[in-house]
Amino acid sequence: MPVDPKAAIVLLKELRALTADEHGAQRLAWSPTWLNARAWFQTKLAELPVEHHLDAAGNSWTTLKGKSEQALILGSHLDSVPNGGWLDGCLGVLAAYAVLRRIAEQYNGKPPITVRLVDWADEEGARFGRSLFGSSAFAGTHSIAQDRVRTDASGATLEAALAACGVNIDAIGNAAIERANAAAYLELHIEQGPVLERMGLPLAAVLGTKGVERHAITFHGQEAHSGSTPMNARHDALAAAAKLALEIRPIAMRHPDAVCTMGSVKTYPGIVTAVVGRCEATLDQRDLDADVLATMYREAQQKSQQFAEEEHCTVEWSRIWNIAPEPFHPQLIAFCEEAIAETAGHSHRMPSGPLHDAAEVSRAGIPTAMMFVQSLHGISHNKIEDTREDHLELAIAAFDKLASKTIEWIRTH
């Protein structure tokens, strides 16, 4: 029995009409619009023979009980960034719904294994800066002490926002109970980058999520008058930072899938008539290989010291945040490639630069795979985010095949 991709796309457009304005999607987690989106989704699930509940972290679970308690989990997230796109996250939820519906109909409500659909709470972290909130609670990697005091732009705390939605921050770790009997997790997501479009391919199997090293780098020089200080007598902190900003490009380009980004630079005193005495910069480095990530970090540190000395400055580093690479399950990656090849004729393997809930599920020891579908112009987190409808149909059909292969794998292992 085939899945119905066109019906899922109709629902995606219905959700867009319900929760977006002229600036884009507005399904900010813990907001009334997000809650409305979730309520709307429940009306679509009501006609299926399923059980629904929210866990202790606010994740939304829909369960189609099978002959075995071993469970395949399908999921993604309905929340969006402010002024976001119509596909980020919600494509995975609606594709999972289409697959769940097909399975329920094919097996008359009793598949060989249990199938669960999860809508993770606050994947984006757009309001409080805490990404992967619900999936990290599920995985046991939550950070209650730090999260309790997080505030949004208005000063409201994350703890209060959760309470308003019926979630007790002290109890979110209880979401780990949902890991019982989880045999595999699958997620479909838009690529959010330009790789597949440049290759002329609609779909890819995701190898895993890249690890991240994120640091604050401060160059210390000497403030001086821009008119009276000769060029060879300057201690220019910005000059040292500028050299590093250019050097991180060749550092990254020595490795096929690595990226390095200096995304923020602040200068002091920050006036046109003064040599910069202090320059604060941020560096984000990512790769799927932990050894590559460590090499890039070491090389960037060495170069920063070299450039500081060249410009008669000093430099200091402090870690902002880091996370280890998370490779996905080899057998499920292979199934994903097979499903894509059977549907679209040609498959491709690639790592994910952005973080995803799938990485947290994998970190909990649950076999995990992701599938990407091409993003037009590589744009996401923006109202112009888009994917060709024929590619969306291919993605949902391939995701359905991946689910079938995984169900058989779980059933026979």
Side-chain angles (χ1 to χ4, degrees), residues 56-57 136-140 142 144 168-177 179:
S136 69
F138 166 88
H142 51 81
I144 296 172
N168 175 5
I169 196 168
D170 289 306
I172 63 172
N174 293 335
I177 196 173
R179 300 205 301 261

Side-chain angles (χ1 to χ4, degrees), residues 56-294:
N59 300 310
S60 179
W61 291 91
T62 300
T63 303
L64 174 65
K65 292 184 178 179
K67 295 177 182 178
S68 167
E69 291 186 354
Q70 287 287 94
L72 168 63
I73 304 174
L74 310 172
S76 195
H77 59 97
L78 285 178
D79 70 295
S80 75
V81 298
N83 306 325
W86 74 295
L87 297 170
D88 182 4
C90 58
L91 168 62
V93 176
L94 271 300
Y97 166 78
V99 173
L100 183 70
R101 186 181 190 92
R102 189 271 300 169
I103 293 170
E105 292 174 353
Q106 178 175 346
Y107 293 101
N108 295 315
K110 200 69 173 179
I113 67 167
T114 296
V115 182
R116 308 186 74 193
L117 189 162
V118 61
D119 164 26
W120 300 108
D122 203 357
E123 189 270 356
E124 298 289 1
R127 182 176 171 191
F128 294 99
R130 195 344 175 166
S131 301
L132 311 178
F133 176 86
S135 56
S136 69
F138 166 88
T141 59
H142 51 81
S143 49
I144 296 172
Q146 297 97 315
D147 294 340
R148 183 192 308 281
V149 294
R150 291 179 181 271
T151 58
D152 65 10
S154 70
T157 65
L158 174 57
E159 182 175 14
L162 294 174
C165 295
V167 176
N168 175 5
I169 196 168
D170 289 306
I172 63 172
N174 293 335
I177 196 173
E178 306 295 340
R179 300 205 301 261
N181 301 313
Y185 174 78
L186 305 175
E187 183 172 335
L188 172 65
H189 207 281
I190 56 171
E191 180 198 346
Q192 300 180 280
V195 175
L196 288 176
E197 186 178 45
R198 289 180 176 180
M199 296 182 70
L201 297 175
L203 303 171
V206 183
L207 293 167
T209 57
K210 294 179 180 180
V212 182
E213 283 284 352
R214 195 171 295 165
H215 291 82
I217 308 167
T218 303
F219 290 91
H220 296 278
Q222 176 63 59
E223 296 175 15
H225 195 289
S226 63
S228 61
T229 309
M231 298 303 292
N232 60 5
R234 297 185 177 204
H235 302 256
D236 191 335
L238 177 57
K243 287 183 176 181
L244 181 62
L246 294 177
E247 184 62 29
I248 63 169
R249 297 168 64 87
I251 286 174
M253 293 174 72
R254 284 193 280 272
H255 311 283
D257 294 311
V259 291
C260 294
T261 307
M262 190 176 283
S264 172
V265 176
K266 297 179 181 177
T267 63
Y268 300 88
I271 58 174
V272 70
T273 55
V275 175
V276 173
R278 185 171 92 252
C279 183
E280 298 174 353
T282 57
L283 178 62
D284 181 289
Q285 298 179 297
R286 305 187 187 212
D287 195 81
L288 188 60
D289 187 317
D291 290 337
V292 169
L293 196 60

